[in-house]
Amino acid sequence: MTENERRAAVARKTRETDVRVELCVDGTGRAHYFLEAAPGQYAGAFKERSHVKLQSGEYVWYRLDGAQYGFTATGLLSWIADERGNRLEVAYDAQGR
């Protein structure tokens, strides 16, 4: 997996209090944290204004610039769409690269 793929991956974590926390790292290396507000809906934490939703088995990160990032249930980036709806699909080989 390349550095950009690692940065874009979503890491799901569960704390001892069973609070779901989602983490998205953008291409600049900045981490964006989300707390589960309702089942399948994650609101930004620490003044983060973007949000994540679970849709059709994948997580979609809705960015403020209109871009969307789709992630598999295991946290791999699967697609990127810009604000105009242009979509780039991501594929991986057997080694996850």
Side-chain angles (χ1 to χ4, degrees), residues 6-61:
R6 272 194 290 277
R7 287 181 177 171
V10 174
R12 277 175 286 297
K13 299 181 181 186
T14 303
R15 294 183 178 171
E16 292 176 8
T17 59
D18 284 340
V19 174
R20 285 277 308 241
V21 177
E22 299 291 330
L23 166 67
C24 295
V25 179
D26 66 21
T28 67
R30 181 172 177 251
H32 303 265
Y33 294 90
F34 303 90
L35 298 173
E36 189 169 38
Q41 297 185 13
Y42 300 84
F46 309 112
K47 298 185 181 182
E48 173 62 45
R49 296 185 331 208
S50 63
H51 65 280
V52 174
K53 287 185 182 179
L54 179 61
Q55 296 178 320
S56 303
E58 67 181 4
Y59 292 89
V60 180
W61 179 15

Side-chain angles (χ1 to χ4, degrees), residues 3 24 27 31 33 47 54 64-65 71 76 82-83 85:
E3 184 64 22
C24 295
Y33 294 90
K47 298 185 181 182
L54 179 61
L64 296 179
D65 63 2
F71 297 91
L76 290 175
D82 67 13
E83 68 280 357

Side-chain angles (χ1 to χ4, degrees), residues 61-90:
W61 179 15
Y62 293 90
R63 307 251 331 213
L64 296 179
D65 63 2
Q68 298 173 13
Y69 288 69
F71 297 91
T72 66
T74 59
L76 290 175
L77 179 65
S78 60
W79 55 268
I80 301 170
D82 67 13
E83 68 280 357
R84 294 188 177 126
N86 298 310
R87 189 168 162 140
L88 175 66
E89 300 285 331
V90 180

